[in-house]
């Protein structure tokens, strides 16, 4: 992966775990083989956050893929999910279950192949069903969340694994004998996209430190102008001194803009994720965010007419404050599962004419939809009407989508960002403002 930085190491870091020798260790070379060399988890950020979606198992020689199938390995992982399993046995990250293996192939590095076809290499890639229970990397610590530094991913090699024959035909020497040994990770996880962000800190003129992360398009050209999407995460993703970078991994908004499969467009977008410390009022935090954004815009080639914000939960309070106190800063804002905008804020937003799309879950168990999502929409819409806008004009400037429980494939009805970001038309609407 490119752009690995010192602070990117806040992404999952796993200590070396000794691999116990199997019974084959006593066999002569070429009979028992040298065994498993390394186990490397591979994570991706999905609608509900980062989880292990594959494991790379490294051997001493090029592996013969013809002897592999989905029964060759068993992969188990932690069932812990901070979103809806914070109690009982499932609060214990060591409680585990087997994952569903969807593909097994070889590769020359711990990386995924889109076609799931084998390439000559020492790594066996075991892909897992991304919607299986288990494998989530985010864990709750008090009122905040962080990336789990001790992933519980385990691999058992059920069948013998063989090398490629010298002539490329047939089965070569055995590399590792079947064993009941559960192999833990021996190397840091490969965190797809999260590892490509640059992780830094910004100090405001008042001395406030604000961690942030950003991602520039591949082939970034300073002579071009790029839209920027500013991600304002939920309260638990705020910086607490030991969870730097979690705002990239905990939810989908930071990485969706980098993938055409999410946006439906191949347009290059700069992403800036701001991790305020959750100290002081939302207005004060918004001011710090705005100062960081202005400095960022001076450093990089940002299209000043295409600056957007997308929020999750508590991040909405910073957006409402910024829209009120810094009118015209954003050219469009997407509020997902957010707090309610006050009547004063709604009036200020209507006066600035900034387009806003609000989404919320009907069954949101943390923020009642009537007093938050619906109220925000109604207040802003009515403020436009009070300014003399027609209903059609108001409808073009403030939009609202409410999601039934069936729209959430995991039972967290508060994370409206999940179904929102699964709708390409909403993301394309933001980029069109």
């Amino acid at each position: 992966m490119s752009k690995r930085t010192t602070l990117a190491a806040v992404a999952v870091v796993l200590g070396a775990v000794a691999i116990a020798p199997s019974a084959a260790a006593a066999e002569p070379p070429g009979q028992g083989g040298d065994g498993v060399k390394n186990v490397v988890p591979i994570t991706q950020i999905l609608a509900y956050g980062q989880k292990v979606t594959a494991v790379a198992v490294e051997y001493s020689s090029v592996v013969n893929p013809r002897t592999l199938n989905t029964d060759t390995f068993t992969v188990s992982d932690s069932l812990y999910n901070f979103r809806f399993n914070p109690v009982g046995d499932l609060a214990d990250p060591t409680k585990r279950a087997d994952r569903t293996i969807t593909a097994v192939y070889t590769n020359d590095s711990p990386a995924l192949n889109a076609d799931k076809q084998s390439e000559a290499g020492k790594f066996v890639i075991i892909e897992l069903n991304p919607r299986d229970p288990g494998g989530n990397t985010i864990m709750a610590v008090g009122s905040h969340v962080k990336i789990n530094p001790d992933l519980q991913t385990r691999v058992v090699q059920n069948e013998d694994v063989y090398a490629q024959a010298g002539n490329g035909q047939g089965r070569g020497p055995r590399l590792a004998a079947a064993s009941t040994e559960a192999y833990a990770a021996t190397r840091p996880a490969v965190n797809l996209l999260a590892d490509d962000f640059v992780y830094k800190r910004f100090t405001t003129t008042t001395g406030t430190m604000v961690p942030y992360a950003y991602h520039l398009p591949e082939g970034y050209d300073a002579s071009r102008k790029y839209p920027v999407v500013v991600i304002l995460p939920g309260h638990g993703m705020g910086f607490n001194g030991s969870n730097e970078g979690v705002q990239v991994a905990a939810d989908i908004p930071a990485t969706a803009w980098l993938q055409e499969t999410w946006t439906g467009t191949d347009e290059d977008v700069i992403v800036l994720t701001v991790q305020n410390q959750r100290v002081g009022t939302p207005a004060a935090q918004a001011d710090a965010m705005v100062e960081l954004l202005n400095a960022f815009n001076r450093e990089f080639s940002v299209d000043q007419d295409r600056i957007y914000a997308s929020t999750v939960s508590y991040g909405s309070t910073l957006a409402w404050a910024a829209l009120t106190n810094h009118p015209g800063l954003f050219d469009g804002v997407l509020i997902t599962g957010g707090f309610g905008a006050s009547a004063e804020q709604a009036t200020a937003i209507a006066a600035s004419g900034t387009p806003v799309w609000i989404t919320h879950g009907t069954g949101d168990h943390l923020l009642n939809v009537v007093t938050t999502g619906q109220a925000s929409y109604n207040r802003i819409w009515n403020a436009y009407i009070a300014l003399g806008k027609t209903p059609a004009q108001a409808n073009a400037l403030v939009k609202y989508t409410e999601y039934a429980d069936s729209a959430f494939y995991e039972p967290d009805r508060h994370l409206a960002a999940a179904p929102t970001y699964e709708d390409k038309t909403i993301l394309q609407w933001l980029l069109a403002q």
Side-chain angles (χ1 to χ4, degrees):
M1 307 304 295
S2 61
K3 289 186 186 170
R4 295 182 184 272
T5 67
T6 300
L7 285 177
V10 300
V12 182
V13 178
L14 301 171
V17 178
I19 298 177
S22 67
E27 297 182 27
Q31 299 299 315
D34 295 321
V36 172
K37 294 297 185 184
N38 284 295
V39 173
V40 186
I42 300 174
T43 74
Q44 292 177 280
I45 299 171
L46 309 174
Y48 292 85
Q50 188 184 67
K51 69 186 299 180
V52 176
T53 59
V55 184
V57 182
E58 184 181 15
Y59 295 89
S60 59
S61 299
V62 173
V63 177
N64 186 335
R66 297 181 183 85
T67 64
L68 304 174
N69 57 64
T70 55
D71 294 323
T72 304
F73 301 91
T74 297
V75 177
S76 66
D77 220 326
S78 169
L79 288 170
Y80 174 81
N81 188 323
F82 85 95
R83 295 188 184 282
F84 53 90
N85 289 334
V87 296
D89 286 346
L90 294 181
D92 180 356
T94 64
K95 298 294 182 180
R96 63 189 334 94
D98 289 348
R99 302 287 302 275
T100 301
I101 296 175
T102 59
V104 178
Y105 53 87
T106 57
N107 209 346
D108 61 356
S109 64
L112 305 182
N113 284 344
D115 61 6
K116 306 183 190 306
Q117 298 299 306
S118 289
E119 296 181 5
K122 299 179 181 180
F123 290 89
V124 175
I125 308 301
I126 308 167
E127 291 199 21
L128 309 169
N129 185 334
R131 293 198 178 185
D132 266 353
N136 296 285
T137 72
I138 309 301
M139 64 186 303
V141 181
S143 61
H144 288 72
V145 297
K146 70 174 185 178
I147 301 170
N148 188 353
D150 184 23
L151 292 184
Q152 297 297 306
T153 309
R154 301 290 185 267
V155 179
V156 174
Q157 183 190 305
N158 303 316
E159 302 172 348
D160 294 350
V161 171
Y162 295 89
Q164 189 74 279
N167 60 5
Q169 301 295 321
R171 194 175 72 184
R174 184 167 63 181
L175 294 174
S179 170
T180 59
E181 179 71 27
Y183 297 105
T186 60
R187 284 170 47 184
V190 173
N191 303 297
L192 301 180
L193 291 182
D195 285 346
D196 292 339
F197 276 74
V198 177
Y199 296 81
K200 300 185 72 174
R201 294 180 175 188
F202 176 79
T203 302
T204 69
T205 53
T206 61
T208 300
M209 188 275 289
V210 182
Y212 67 101
Y214 69 89
H215 187 284
L216 301 179
E218 184 177 357
Y220 169 79
D221 181 356
S223 66
R224 291 178 54 189
K225 296 293 183 182
Y226 299 89
V228 62
V229 180
V230 181
I231 307 300
L232 303 178
H235 187 280
M237 292 75 185
F239 181 59
N240 71 348
S242 62
N243 66 344
E244 202 157 354
V246 73
Q247 83 277 18
V248 172
D251 303 306
I252 187 58
T255 54
W257 301 98
L258 315 178
Q259 304 173 76
E260 187 175 349
T261 54
W262 286 90
T263 64
T265 174
D266 61 359
E267 181 175 23
D268 290 330
V269 176
I270 295 175
V271 176
L272 170 65
T273 70
V274 185
Q275 193 181 19
N276 292 80
Q277 296 186 53
R278 304 299 182 237
V279 175
T281 65
Q285 294 180 55
D287 288 344
M289 176 272 294
V290 171
E291 188 175 339
L292 163 60
L293 174 58
N294 288 334
F296 186 86
N297 291 344
R298 291 191 295 270
E299 182 177 359
F300 296 103
S301 188
V302 171
D303 186 340
Q304 299 300 309
D305 293 323
R306 300 184 68 194
I307 299 174
Y308 311 116
S310 178
T311 76
V312 175
S313 188
Y314 179 85
S316 63
T317 65
L318 276 67
W320 297 138
L323 287 167
T324 301
N325 300 328
H326 305 272
L329 174 67
F330 293 117
D331 298 288
V333 176
L334 176 58
I335 305 287
T336 71
F339 286 69
S342 68
E344 178 186 2
Q345 290 170 331
T347 299
I349 291 166
S352 71
T354 302
V356 176
W357 195 320
I358 301 165
T359 70
H360 215 97
T362 302
D364 189 327
H365 60 290
L366 294 180
L367 297 178
N368 180 276
V369 64
V370 175
T371 58
T372 56
Q374 292 179 12
S376 296
Y377 169 74
N378 290 331
R379 286 169 183 155
I380 297 172
W381 194 90
N382 288 331
Y384 276 120
I385 298 301
L387 289 176
K389 299 290 187 183
T390 66
Q393 290 171 326
N395 291 340
L397 289 164
V398 58
K399 297 180 177 294
Y400 180 74
T401 301
E402 190 170 308
Y403 295 105
D405 290 356
S406 58
F408 299 79
Y409 73 77
E410 288 195 0
D412 182 357
R413 280 57 158 151
H414 176 56
L415 190 65
T420 299
Y421 271 75
E422 290 169 343
D423 186 345
K424 296 179 178 64
T425 62
I426 295 180
L427 306 191
Q428 291 170 1
W429 171 88
L430 189 62
L431 291 178
Q433 304 311 305

